[in-house]
Amino acid sequence: MVPEILSFSHNWNRKLNCNCFTTLRLHNPQKFQVGKVFEIQLNKATLGNAVVKDIRSFRLNQLNSFITYLDTGYDVAETQKIIKTMYKNANINWDVRLLDFVLFVYQY
């Protein structure tokens, strides 16, 4: 089975260079499932395949500094601003919309 592509346009906190990394994405239980393998791409260049190890879901206002500094390298307020900018055309009600904090481990 060919892995689904997970694209990144920015390597926040240089996390994609590590053996494991996280990503903050809109909640999508059909897409993100523990054990599922993705081909990780940065600006359309393949970095490798990674498996989902764990997923935590929460609202934007529940972000904390552990998550934001590890994932983006920025504080909570700046990370919230980044996320809102990324999804600015999606007309999202951030009071109810869930995010997924997805933990990946590269397969070697």
Side-chain angles (χ1 to χ4, degrees), residues 12 15 22-27 56 58-64 67-69 71-95 97-102:
W12 298 105
K15 64 186 180 183
T22 58
T23 187
L24 286 164
R25 302 284 173 134
L26 293 178
H27 180 64
R56 303 294 162 101
F58 47 81
R59 289 182 304 281
L60 186 67
N61 67 357
Q62 294 174 302
L63 281 173
N64 61 54
I67 292 170
T68 63
Y69 278 111
D71 193 72
T72 66
Y74 293 103
D75 66 18
V76 173
E78 186 64 24
T79 300
Q80 288 172 332
K81 183 178 169 185
I82 289 166
I83 291 170
K84 286 179 178 180
T85 300
M86 286 171 48
Y87 296 109
K88 67 183 174 201
N89 296 323
N91 195 26
I92 294 172
N93 179 350
W94 292 110
D95 292 331
R97 180 65 162 154
L98 289 175
L99 293 170
D100 287 336
F101 187 54
V102 187

mmCIF file of all heavy atoms in Angstrom, residues 12 15 22-27 56 58-64 67-69 71-95 97-102:
data_model
loop_
_atom_site.group_PDB
_atom_site.id
_atom_site.type_symbol
_atom_site.label_atom_id
_atom_site.label_comp_id
_atom_site.label_asym_id
_atom_site.label_seq_id
_atom_site.Cartn_x
_atom_site.Cartn_y
_atom_site.Cartn_z
ATOM 1 N N TRP A 12 8.876 23.905 10.969
ATOM 2 C CA TRP A 12 8.818 24.608 12.245
ATOM 3 C C TRP A 12 9.734 23.952 13.265
ATOM 4 O O TRP A 12 9.703 22.735 13.440
ATOM 5 C CB TRP A 12 7.389 24.607 12.795
ATOM 6 C CG TRP A 12 6.402 25.296 11.920
ATOM 7 C CD1 TRP A 12 5.461 24.709 11.116
ATOM 8 C CD2 TRP A 12 6.249 26.702 11.734
ATOM 9 N NE1 TRP A 12 4.743 25.664 10.457
ATOM 10 C CE2 TRP A 12 5.198 26.907 10.813
ATOM 11 C CE3 TRP A 12 6.900 27.815 12.255
ATOM 12 C CZ2 TRP A 12 4.776 28.164 10.410
ATOM 13 C CZ3 TRP A 12 6.479 29.068 11.853
ATOM 14 C CH2 TRP A 12 5.437 29.241 10.946
ATOM 15 N N LYS A 15 11.720 20.454 13.386
ATOM 16 C CA LYS A 15 11.228 19.187 13.926
ATOM 17 C C LYS A 15 11.307 18.035 12.933
ATOM 18 O O LYS A 15 11.478 16.888 13.339
ATOM 19 C CB LYS A 15 9.793 19.347 14.420
ATOM 20 C CG LYS A 15 8.796 19.681 13.323
ATOM 21 C CD LYS A 15 7.437 19.968 13.904
ATOM 22 C CE LYS A 15 6.441 20.308 12.800
ATOM 23 N NZ LYS A 15 5.152 20.664 13.377
ATOM 24 N N THR A 22 6.066 16.161 15.840
ATOM 25 C CA THR A 22 4.635 16.373 15.976
ATOM 26 C C THR A 22 4.151 17.322 14.895
ATOM 27 O O THR A 22 4.939 18.041 14.279
ATOM 28 C CB THR A 22 4.299 16.983 17.352
ATOM 29 O OG1 THR A 22 5.005 18.212 17.490
ATOM 30 C CG2 THR A 22 4.670 16.022 18.478
ATOM 31 N N THR A 23 2.841 17.316 14.716
ATOM 32 C CA THR A 23 2.212 18.301 13.849
ATOM 33 C C THR A 23 0.853 18.660 14.427
ATOM 34 O O THR A 23 0.170 17.808 14.998
ATOM 35 C CB THR A 23 2.083 17.811 12.392
ATOM 36 O OG1 THR A 23 1.603 18.873 11.570
ATOM 37 C CG2 THR A 23 1.185 16.601 12.265
ATOM 38 N N LEU A 24 0.499 19.912 14.308
ATOM 39 C CA LEU A 24 -0.831 20.393 14.693
ATOM 40 C C LEU A 24 -1.658 20.520 13.424
ATOM 41 O O LEU A 24 -1.293 21.271 12.520
ATOM 42 C CB LEU A 24 -0.735 21.748 15.385
ATOM 43 C CG LEU A 24 -0.201 21.733 16.807
ATOM 44 C CD1 LEU A 24 0.207 23.128 17.251
ATOM 45 C CD2 LEU A 24 -1.258 21.163 17.753
ATOM 46 N N ARG A 25 -2.753 19.776 13.367
ATOM 47 C CA ARG A 25 -3.618 19.780 12.191
ATOM 48 C C ARG A 25 -5.078 19.857 12.632
ATOM 49 O O ARG A 25 -5.401 19.524 13.766
ATOM 50 C CB ARG A 25 -3.424 18.483 11.378
ATOM 51 C CG ARG A 25 -2.004 18.227 10.895
ATOM 52 C CD ARG A 25 -1.672 19.119 9.716
ATOM 53 N NE ARG A 25 -0.259 19.015 9.349
ATOM 54 C CZ ARG A 25 0.174 18.884 8.106
ATOM 55 N NH1 ARG A 25 -0.678 18.839 7.103
ATOM 56 N NH2 ARG A 25 1.458 18.822 7.861
ATOM 57 N N LEU A 26 -5.947 20.228 11.710
ATOM 58 C CA LEU A 26 -7.364 20.186 12.007
ATOM 59 C C LEU A 26 -7.772 18.752 12.312
ATOM 60 O O LEU A 26 -7.292 17.807 11.668
ATOM 61 C CB LEU A 26 -8.180 20.719 10.824
ATOM 62 C CG LEU A 26 -8.021 22.200 10.498
ATOM 63 C CD1 LEU A 26 -8.859 22.547 9.270
ATOM 64 C CD2 LEU A 26 -8.410 23.078 11.673
ATOM 65 N N HIS A 27 -8.633 18.594 13.302
ATOM 66 C CA HIS A 27 -9.092 17.266 13.717
ATOM 67 C C HIS A 27 -9.655 16.506 12.518
ATOM 68 O O HIS A 27 -10.504 17.015 11.794
ATOM 69 C CB HIS A 27 -10.168 17.427 14.791
ATOM 70 C CG HIS A 27 -10.717 16.146 15.296
ATOM 71 N ND1 HIS A 27 -9.962 15.214 15.980
ATOM 72 C CD2 HIS A 27 -11.979 15.627 15.234
ATOM 73 C CE1 HIS A 27 -10.724 14.194 16.318
ATOM 74 N NE2 HIS A 27 -11.956 14.414 15.864
ATOM 75 N N ARG A 56 -3.577 13.479 20.152
ATOM 76 C CA ARG A 56 -4.322 14.178 21.203
ATOM 77 C C ARG A 56 -5.146 15.263 20.525
ATOM 78 O O ARG A 56 -4.624 15.997 19.689
ATOM 79 C CB ARG A 56 -3.389 14.801 22.236
ATOM 80 C CG ARG A 56 -2.459 13.814 22.907
ATOM 81 C CD ARG A 56 -3.253 12.814 23.754
ATOM 82 N NE ARG A 56 -2.469 11.635 24.058
ATOM 83 C CZ ARG A 56 -1.867 11.423 25.213
ATOM 84 N NH1 ARG A 56 -1.944 12.306 26.174
ATOM 85 N NH2 ARG A 56 -1.192 10.302 25.404
ATOM 86 N N PHE A 58 -7.823 18.644 20.926
ATOM 87 C CA PHE A 58 -8.211 19.730 21.821
ATOM 88 C C PHE A 58 -8.545 20.958 20.991
ATOM 89 O O PHE A 58 -8.291 20.987 19.786
ATOM 90 C CB PHE A 58 -7.101 20.051 22.825
ATOM 91 C CG PHE A 58 -5.754 20.168 22.178
ATOM 92 C CD1 PHE A 58 -5.370 21.329 21.549
ATOM 93 C CD2 PHE A 58 -4.881 19.097 22.179
ATOM 94 C CE1 PHE A 58 -4.134 21.431 20.931
ATOM 95 C CE2 PHE A 58 -3.642 19.191 21.568
ATOM 96 C CZ PHE A 58 -3.271 20.357 20.940
ATOM 97 N N ARG A 59 -9.094 21.972 21.640
ATOM 98 C CA ARG A 59 -9.411 23.228 20.968
ATOM 99 C C ARG A 59 -8.203 24.177 21.001
ATOM 100 O O ARG A 59 -7.313 24.036 21.823
ATOM 101 C CB ARG A 59 -10.630 23.883 21.622
ATOM 102 C CG ARG A 59 -11.932 23.136 21.324
ATOM 103 C CD ARG A 59 -13.137 23.815 21.922
ATOM 104 N NE ARG A 59 -13.045 24.018 23.362
ATOM 105 C CZ ARG A 59 -13.264 23.080 24.289
ATOM 106 N NH1 ARG A 59 -13.568 21.862 23.924
ATOM 107 N NH2 ARG A 59 -13.161 23.371 25.575
ATOM 108 N N LEU A 60 -8.237 25.150 20.121
ATOM 109 C CA LEU A 60 -7.138 26.109 19.985
ATOM 110 C C LEU A 60 -6.822 26.807 21.305
ATOM 111 O O LEU A 60 -5.660 27.010 21.645
ATOM 112 C CB LEU A 60 -7.484 27.137 18.902
ATOM 113 C CG LEU A 60 -6.387 28.125 18.528
ATOM 114 C CD1 LEU A 60 -5.225 27.422 17.844
ATOM 115 C CD2 LEU A 60 -6.946 29.207 17.624
ATOM 116 N N ASN A 61 -7.859 27.141 22.080
ATOM 117 C CA ASN A 61 -7.630 27.858 23.338
ATOM 118 C C ASN A 61 -7.057 26.950 24.432
ATOM 119 O O ASN A 61 -6.741 27.423 25.515
ATOM 120 C CB ASN A 61 -8.906 28.553 23.817
ATOM 121 C CG ASN A 61 -10.008 27.580 24.219
ATOM 122 O OD1 ASN A 61 -9.869 26.376 24.106
ATOM 123 N ND2 ASN A 61 -11.124 28.138 24.660
ATOM 124 N N GLN A 62 -6.913 25.661 24.144
ATOM 125 C CA GLN A 62 -6.330 24.728 25.101
ATOM 126 C C GLN A 62 -4.853 24.444 24.830
ATOM 127 O O GLN A 62 -4.241 23.651 25.539
ATOM 128 C CB GLN A 62 -7.112 23.410 25.094
ATOM 129 C CG GLN A 62 -8.535 23.568 25.600
ATOM 130 C CD GLN A 62 -9.331 22.290 25.448
ATOM 131 O OE1 GLN A 62 -9.484 21.768 24.348
ATOM 132 N NE2 GLN A 62 -9.837 21.785 26.560
ATOM 133 N N LEU A 63 -4.285 25.091 23.822
ATOM 134 C CA LEU A 63 -2.851 24.934 23.569
ATOM 135 C C LEU A 63 -2.065 25.368 24.796
ATOM 136 O O LEU A 63 -2.459 26.300 25.504
ATOM 137 C CB LEU A 63 -2.409 25.783 22.378
ATOM 138 C CG LEU A 63 -2.705 25.234 20.992
ATOM 139 C CD1 LEU A 63 -2.355 26.276 19.942
ATOM 140 C CD2 LEU A 63 -1.954 23.954 20.741
ATOM 141 N N ASN A 64 -0.939 24.699 25.026
ATOM 142 C CA ASN A 64 -0.072 25.101 26.136
ATOM 143 C C ASN A 64 1.358 25.229 25.627
ATOM 144 O O ASN A 64 1.670 24.865 24.494
ATOM 145 C CB ASN A 64 -0.175 24.098 27.296
ATOM 146 C CG ASN A 64 0.257 22.709 26.888
ATOM 147 O OD1 ASN A 64 1.349 22.502 26.375
ATOM 148 N ND2 ASN A 64 -0.616 21.726 27.111
ATOM 149 N N ILE A 67 3.302 22.107 24.154
ATOM 150 C CA ILE A 67 2.936 21.768 22.776
ATOM 151 C C ILE A 67 3.496 22.785 21.798
ATOM 152 O O ILE A 67 4.123 22.422 20.799
ATOM 153 C CB ILE A 67 1.401 21.683 22.638
ATOM 154 C CG1 ILE A 67 0.871 20.476 23.410
ATOM 155 C CG2 ILE A 67 0.977 21.619 21.172
ATOM 156 C CD1 ILE A 67 -0.640 20.436 23.539
ATOM 157 N N THR A 68 3.281 24.066 22.072
ATOM 158 C CA THR A 68 3.642 25.078 21.081
ATOM 159 C C THR A 68 5.140 25.228 20.884
ATOM 160 O O THR A 68 5.608 25.345 19.753
ATOM 161 C CB THR A 68 3.006 26.440 21.415
ATOM 162 O OG1 THR A 68 3.508 26.929 22.656
ATOM 163 C CG2 THR A 68 1.492 26.336 21.464
ATOM 164 N N TYR A 69 5.899 25.219 21.966
ATOM 165 C CA TYR A 69 7.351 25.359 21.804
ATOM 166 C C TYR A 69 7.953 24.146 21.105
ATOM 167 O O TYR A 69 8.852 24.287 20.267
ATOM 168 C CB TYR A 69 8.046 25.610 23.140
ATOM 169 C CG TYR A 69 7.999 27.062 23.560
ATOM 170 C CD1 TYR A 69 7.237 27.468 24.644
ATOM 171 C CD2 TYR A 69 8.705 28.036 22.861
ATOM 172 C CE1 TYR A 69 7.185 28.805 25.031
ATOM 173 C CE2 TYR A 69 8.660 29.364 23.233
ATOM 174 C CZ TYR A 69 7.898 29.745 24.311
ATOM 175 O OH TYR A 69 7.846 31.071 24.678
ATOM 176 N N ASP A 71 6.359 22.070 19.007
ATOM 177 C CA ASP A 71 5.863 21.932 17.642
ATOM 178 C C ASP A 71 6.309 23.056 16.722
ATOM 179 O O ASP A 71 6.718 22.794 15.595
ATOM 180 C CB ASP A 71 4.340 21.824 17.637
ATOM 181 C CG ASP A 71 3.832 21.359 16.292
ATOM 182 O OD1 ASP A 71 4.026 20.175 15.965
ATOM 183 O OD2 ASP A 71 3.271 22.178 15.546
ATOM 184 N N THR A 72 6.231 24.297 17.191
ATOM 185 C CA THR A 72 6.546 25.424 16.304
ATOM 186 C C THR A 72 7.791 26.205 16.710
ATOM 187 O O THR A 72 8.342 26.940 15.901
ATOM 188 C CB THR A 72 5.376 26.431 16.252
ATOM 189 O OG1 THR A 72 5.223 27.040 17.539
ATOM 190 C CG2 THR A 72 4.086 25.768 15.814
ATOM 191 N N GLY A 73 8.185 26.081 17.982
ATOM 192 C CA GLY A 73 9.281 26.892 18.486
ATOM 193 C C GLY A 73 8.820 28.256 18.973
ATOM 194 O O GLY A 73 9.645 29.109 19.288
ATOM 195 N N TYR A 74 7.510 28.461 19.038
ATOM 196 C CA TYR A 74 6.953 29.744 19.467
ATOM 197 C C TYR A 74 6.036 29.568 20.675
ATOM 198 O O TYR A 74 5.584 28.465 20.970
ATOM 199 C CB TYR A 74 6.155 30.394 18.331
ATOM 200 C CG TYR A 74 7.021 30.819 17.183
ATOM 201 C CD1 TYR A 74 7.075 30.066 16.018
ATOM 202 C CD2 TYR A 74 7.796 31.973 17.256
ATOM 203 C CE1 TYR A 74 7.875 30.455 14.949
ATOM 204 C CE2 TYR A 74 8.595 32.367 16.204
ATOM 205 C CZ TYR A 74 8.640 31.602 15.048
ATOM 206 O OH TYR A 74 9.431 31.987 14.013
ATOM 207 N N ASP A 75 5.723 30.686 21.321
ATOM 208 C CA ASP A 75 4.826 30.643 22.480
ATOM 209 C C ASP A 75 3.380 30.390 22.042
ATOM 210 O O ASP A 75 3.078 30.310 20.848
ATOM 211 C CB ASP A 75 4.957 31.906 23.332
ATOM 212 C CG ASP A 75 4.492 33.180 22.642
ATOM 213 O OD1 ASP A 75 3.757 33.112 21.633
ATOM 214 O OD2 ASP A 75 4.861 34.266 23.114
ATOM 215 N N VAL A 76 2.500 30.274 23.029
ATOM 216 C CA VAL A 76 1.100 29.938 22.754
ATOM 217 C C VAL A 76 0.437 30.973 21.858
ATOM 218 O O VAL A 76 -0.197 30.624 20.848
ATOM 219 C CB VAL A 76 0.308 29.766 24.075
ATOM 220 C CG1 VAL A 76 -1.175 29.595 23.803
ATOM 221 C CG2 VAL A 76 0.835 28.577 24.869
ATOM 222 N N ALA A 77 0.561 32.246 22.202
ATOM 223 C CA ALA A 77 -0.105 33.300 21.429
ATOM 224 C C ALA A 77 0.359 33.322 19.976
ATOM 225 O O ALA A 77 -0.456 33.432 19.049
ATOM 226 C CB ALA A 77 0.125 34.660 22.080
ATOM 227 N N GLU A 78 1.659 33.200 19.763
ATOM 228 C CA GLU A 78 2.185 33.216 18.391
ATOM 229 C C GLU A 78 1.746 31.977 17.618
ATOM 230 O O GLU A 78 1.411 32.056 16.433
ATOM 231 C CB GLU A 78 3.714 33.330 18.406
ATOM 232 C CG GLU A 78 4.328 33.504 17.036
ATOM 233 C CD GLU A 78 3.925 34.802 16.335
ATOM 234 O OE1 GLU A 78 3.559 35.784 17.000
ATOM 235 O OE2 GLU A 78 3.974 34.826 15.087
ATOM 236 N N THR A 79 1.725 30.825 18.272
ATOM 237 C CA THR A 79 1.288 29.591 17.602
ATOM 238 C C THR A 79 -0.189 29.678 17.237
ATOM 239 O O THR A 79 -0.585 29.266 16.139
ATOM 240 C CB THR A 79 1.561 28.370 18.491
ATOM 241 O OG1 THR A 79 2.972 28.300 18.744
ATOM 242 C CG2 THR A 79 1.112 27.083 17.813
ATOM 243 N N GLN A 80 -0.999 30.221 18.126
ATOM 244 C CA GLN A 80 -2.416 30.406 17.802
ATOM 245 C C GLN A 80 -2.569 31.321 16.587
ATOM 246 O O GLN A 80 -3.385 31.059 15.698
ATOM 247 C CB GLN A 80 -3.162 30.984 19.003
ATOM 248 C CG GLN A 80 -3.343 29.986 20.122
ATOM 249 C CD GLN A 80 -3.907 30.604 21.383
ATOM 250 O OE1 GLN A 80 -3.705 31.791 21.660
ATOM 251 N NE2 GLN A 80 -4.606 29.799 22.172
ATOM 252 N N LYS A 81 -1.773 32.359 16.534
ATOM 253 C CA LYS A 81 -1.800 33.285 15.394
ATOM 254 C C LYS A 81 -1.388 32.565 14.104
ATOM 255 O O LYS A 81 -2.009 32.745 13.055
ATOM 256 C CB LYS A 81 -0.865 34.464 15.677
ATOM 257 C CG LYS A 81 -0.842 35.521 14.622
ATOM 258 C CD LYS A 81 0.090 36.657 15.033
ATOM 259 C CE LYS A 81 0.355 37.613 13.902
ATOM 260 N NZ LYS A 81 1.347 38.627 14.265
ATOM 261 N N ILE A 82 -0.352 31.739 14.176
ATOM 262 C CA ILE A 82 0.123 30.976 13.013
ATOM 263 C C ILE A 82 -0.984 30.057 12.507
ATOM 264 O O ILE A 82 -1.256 29.988 11.305
ATOM 265 C CB ILE A 82 1.386 30.165 13.371
ATOM 266 C CG1 ILE A 82 2.581 31.103 13.571
ATOM 267 C CG2 ILE A 82 1.687 29.115 12.303
ATOM 268 C CD1 ILE A 82 3.776 30.446 14.241
ATOM 269 N N ILE A 83 -1.631 29.343 13.415
ATOM 270 C CA ILE A 83 -2.689 28.402 13.026
ATOM 271 C C ILE A 83 -3.857 29.147 12.390
ATOM 272 O O ILE A 83 -4.379 28.733 11.348
ATOM 273 C CB ILE A 83 -3.135 27.565 14.240
ATOM 274 C CG1 ILE A 83 -2.009 26.604 14.642
ATOM 275 C CG2 ILE A 83 -4.429 26.800 13.935
ATOM 276 C CD1 ILE A 83 -2.232 25.905 15.961
ATOM 277 N N LYS A 84 -4.263 30.240 12.990
ATOM 278 C CA LYS A 84 -5.363 31.024 12.423
ATOM 279 C C LYS A 84 -5.002 31.553 11.037
ATOM 280 O O LYS A 84 -5.854 31.602 10.139
ATOM 281 C CB LYS A 84 -5.742 32.166 13.353
ATOM 282 C CG LYS A 84 -6.503 31.705 14.580
ATOM 283 C CD LYS A 84 -6.840 32.881 15.482
ATOM 284 C CE LYS A 84 -7.653 32.441 16.687
ATOM 285 N NZ LYS A 84 -8.000 33.571 17.574
ATOM 286 N N THR A 85 -3.755 31.935 10.844
ATOM 287 C CA THR A 85 -3.305 32.413 9.533
ATOM 288 C C THR A 85 -3.306 31.277 8.508
ATOM 289 O O THR A 85 -3.742 31.466 7.370
ATOM 290 C CB THR A 85 -1.891 33.031 9.638
ATOM 291 O OG1 THR A 85 -1.947 34.138 10.546
ATOM 292 C CG2 THR A 85 -1.390 33.500 8.284
ATOM 293 N N MET A 86 -2.866 30.088 8.931
ATOM 294 C CA MET A 86 -2.834 28.938 8.019
ATOM 295 C C MET A 86 -4.227 28.581 7.520
ATOM 296 O O MET A 86 -4.383 28.147 6.373
ATOM 297 C CB MET A 86 -2.210 27.726 8.718
ATOM 298 C CG MET A 86 -0.715 27.811 8.900
ATOM 299 S SD MET A 86 -0.018 26.519 9.949
ATOM 300 C CE MET A 86 -0.739 25.045 9.323
ATOM 301 N N TYR A 87 -5.220 28.738 8.358
ATOM 302 C CA TYR A 87 -6.584 28.343 8.014
ATOM 303 C C TYR A 87 -7.514 29.548 7.859
ATOM 304 O O TYR A 87 -8.724 29.425 8.018
ATOM 305 C CB TYR A 87 -7.127 27.392 9.088
ATOM 306 C CG TYR A 87 -6.368 26.092 9.164
ATOM 307 C CD1 TYR A 87 -5.541 25.815 10.259
ATOM 308 C CD2 TYR A 87 -6.465 25.141 8.163
ATOM 309 C CE1 TYR A 87 -4.838 24.622 10.335
ATOM 310 C CE2 TYR A 87 -5.769 23.946 8.233
ATOM 311 C CZ TYR A 87 -4.961 23.693 9.320
ATOM 312 O OH TYR A 87 -4.274 22.512 9.398
ATOM 313 N N LYS A 88 -6.955 30.694 7.489
ATOM 314 C CA LYS A 88 -7.733 31.942 7.432
ATOM 315 C C LYS A 88 -8.886 31.886 6.436
ATOM 316 O O LYS A 88 -9.887 32.565 6.617
ATOM 317 C CB LYS A 88 -6.816 33.128 7.127
ATOM 318 C CG LYS A 88 -6.209 33.107 5.744
ATOM 319 C CD LYS A 88 -5.272 34.269 5.537
ATOM 320 C CE LYS A 88 -4.584 34.113 4.192
ATOM 321 N NZ LYS A 88 -3.368 34.855 4.114
ATOM 322 N N ASN A 89 -8.786 31.087 5.408
ATOM 323 C CA ASN A 89 -9.845 31.011 4.393
ATOM 324 C C ASN A 89 -10.850 29.896 4.666
ATOM 325 O O ASN A 89 -11.728 29.642 3.848
ATOM 326 C CB ASN A 89 -9.235 30.827 3.003
ATOM 327 C CG ASN A 89 -8.398 32.021 2.603
ATOM 328 O OD1 ASN A 89 -8.728 33.159 2.914
ATOM 329 N ND2 ASN A 89 -7.292 31.771 1.917
ATOM 330 N N ALA A 90 -10.737 29.230 5.805
ATOM 331 C CA ALA A 90 -11.586 28.069 6.089
ATOM 332 C C ALA A 90 -12.836 28.396 6.895
ATOM 333 O O ALA A 90 -13.650 27.513 7.138
ATOM 334 C CB ALA A 90 -10.764 27.001 6.809
ATOM 335 N N ASN A 91 -13.007 29.646 7.321
ATOM 336 C CA ASN A 91 -14.196 30.052 8.075
ATOM 337 C C ASN A 91 -14.453 29.130 9.272
ATOM 338 O O ASN A 91 -15.507 28.498 9.385
ATOM 339 C CB ASN A 91 -15.422 30.103 7.158
ATOM 340 C CG ASN A 91 -16.562 30.858 7.787
ATOM 341 O OD1 ASN A 91 -16.344 31.723 8.639
ATOM 342 N ND2 ASN A 91 -17.785 30.535 7.400
ATOM 343 N N ILE A 92 -13.495 29.045 10.165
ATOM 344 C CA ILE A 92 -13.533 28.123 11.303
ATOM 345 C C ILE A 92 -13.970 28.844 12.572
ATOM 346 O O ILE A 92 -13.489 29.933 12.874
ATOM 347 C CB ILE A 92 -12.146 27.485 11.516
ATOM 348 C CG1 ILE A 92 -11.809 26.593 10.322
ATOM 349 C CG2 ILE A 92 -12.084 26.714 12.824
ATOM 350 C CD1 ILE A 92 -10.402 26.058 10.316
ATOM 351 N N ASN A 93 -14.853 28.204 13.307
ATOM 352 C CA ASN A 93 -15.228 28.671 14.638
ATOM 353 C C ASN A 93 -14.252 28.024 15.619
ATOM 354 O O ASN A 93 -14.416 26.855 15.989
ATOM 355 C CB ASN A 93 -16.675 28.292 14.969
ATOM 356 C CG ASN A 93 -17.085 28.736 16.355
ATOM 357 O OD1 ASN A 93 -16.262 29.171 17.175
ATOM 358 N ND2 ASN A 93 -18.367 28.609 16.647
ATOM 359 N N TRP A 94 -13.245 28.759 16.039
ATOM 360 C CA TRP A 94 -12.182 28.214 16.883
ATOM 361 C C TRP A 94 -12.653 27.892 18.299
ATOM 362 O O TRP A 94 -11.947 27.226 19.038
ATOM 363 C CB TRP A 94 -10.980 29.155 16.906
ATOM 364 C CG TRP A 94 -10.299 29.219 15.577
ATOM 365 C CD1 TRP A 94 -10.280 30.257 14.706
ATOM 366 C CD2 TRP A 94 -9.548 28.170 14.955
ATOM 367 N NE1 TRP A 94 -9.562 29.928 13.573
ATOM 368 C CE2 TRP A 94 -9.097 28.654 13.705
ATOM 369 C CE3 TRP A 94 -9.203 26.868 15.322
ATOM 370 C CZ2 TRP A 94 -8.335 27.894 12.829
ATOM 371 C CZ3 TRP A 94 -8.430 26.108 14.447
ATOM 372 C CH2 TRP A 94 -8.011 26.620 13.223
ATOM 373 N N ASP A 95 -13.841 28.336 18.678
ATOM 374 C CA ASP A 95 -14.371 27.997 20.002
ATOM 375 C C ASP A 95 -14.805 26.534 20.081
ATOM 376 O O ASP A 95 -14.869 25.963 21.168
ATOM 377 C CB ASP A 95 -15.557 28.893 20.358
ATOM 378 C CG ASP A 95 -15.140 30.337 20.570
ATOM 379 O OD1 ASP A 95 -13.988 30.578 20.980
ATOM 380 O OD2 ASP A 95 -15.975 31.226 20.305
ATOM 381 N N ARG A 97 -13.990 24.122 17.140
ATOM 382 C CA ARG A 97 -13.205 23.282 16.226
ATOM 383 C C ARG A 97 -12.057 22.616 16.966
ATOM 384 O O ARG A 97 -11.302 23.251 17.701
ATOM 385 C CB ARG A 97 -12.662 24.133 15.083
ATOM 386 C CG ARG A 97 -11.841 23.388 14.064
ATOM 387 C CD ARG A 97 -12.678 22.384 13.331
ATOM 388 N NE ARG A 97 -11.986 22.009 12.110
ATOM 389 C CZ ARG A 97 -12.152 20.852 11.503
ATOM 390 N NH1 ARG A 97 -13.005 19.989 11.965
ATOM 391 N NH2 ARG A 97 -11.500 20.601 10.421
ATOM 392 N N LEU A 98 -11.898 21.315 16.761
ATOM 393 C CA LEU A 98 -10.799 20.576 17.380
ATOM 394 C C LEU A 98 -9.563 20.569 16.492
ATOM 395 O O LEU A 98 -9.653 20.584 15.265
ATOM 396 C CB LEU A 98 -11.220 19.131 17.651
ATOM 397 C CG LEU A 98 -12.230 18.894 18.759
ATOM 398 C CD1 LEU A 98 -12.622 17.423 18.809
ATOM 399 C CD2 LEU A 98 -11.700 19.354 20.101
ATOM 400 N N LEU A 99 -8.425 20.543 17.142
ATOM 401 C CA LEU A 99 -7.133 20.315 16.490
ATOM 402 C C LEU A 99 -6.623 18.948 16.914
ATOM 403 O O LEU A 99 -6.942 18.458 18.000
ATOM 404 C CB LEU A 99 -6.115 21.368 16.931
ATOM 405 C CG LEU A 99 -6.363 22.798 16.509
ATOM 406 C CD1 LEU A 99 -5.396 23.736 17.224
ATOM 407 C CD2 LEU A 99 -6.207 22.938 15.004
ATOM 408 N N ASP A 100 -5.821 18.338 16.068
ATOM 409 C CA ASP A 100 -5.123 17.101 16.421
ATOM 410 C C ASP A 100 -3.642 17.411 16.583
ATOM 411 O O ASP A 100 -3.045 18.064 15.718
ATOM 412 C CB ASP A 100 -5.286 16.034 15.327
ATOM 413 C CG ASP A 100 -6.676 15.425 15.290
ATOM 414 O OD1 ASP A 100 -7.370 15.455 16.325
ATOM 415 O OD2 ASP A 100 -7.054 14.911 14.221
ATOM 416 N N PHE A 101 -3.077 16.967 17.681
ATOM 417 C CA PHE A 101 -1.638 17.030 17.925
ATOM 418 C C PHE A 101 -1.148 15.611 17.669
ATOM 419 O O PHE A 101 -1.394 14.706 18.459
ATOM 420 C CB PHE A 101 -1.378 17.474 19.363
ATOM 421 C CG PHE A 101 0.063 17.741 19.685
ATOM 422 C CD1 PHE A 101 0.819 18.613 18.942
ATOM 423 C CD2 PHE A 101 0.641 17.129 20.788
ATOM 424 C CE1 PHE A 101 2.137 18.881 19.275
ATOM 425 C CE2 PHE A 101 1.960 17.392 21.124
ATOM 426 C CZ PHE A 101 2.714 18.263 20.370
ATOM 427 N N VAL A 102 -0.505 15.416 16.517
ATOM 428 C CA VAL A 102 -0.180 14.082 16.033
ATOM 429 C C VAL A 102 1.311 13.824 16.219
ATOM 430 O O VAL A 102 2.141 14.614 15.778
ATOM 431 C CB VAL A 102 -0.572 13.923 14.547
ATOM 432 C CG1 VAL A 102 -0.384 12.481 14.099
ATOM 433 C CG2 VAL A 102 -2.009 14.374 14.308
#
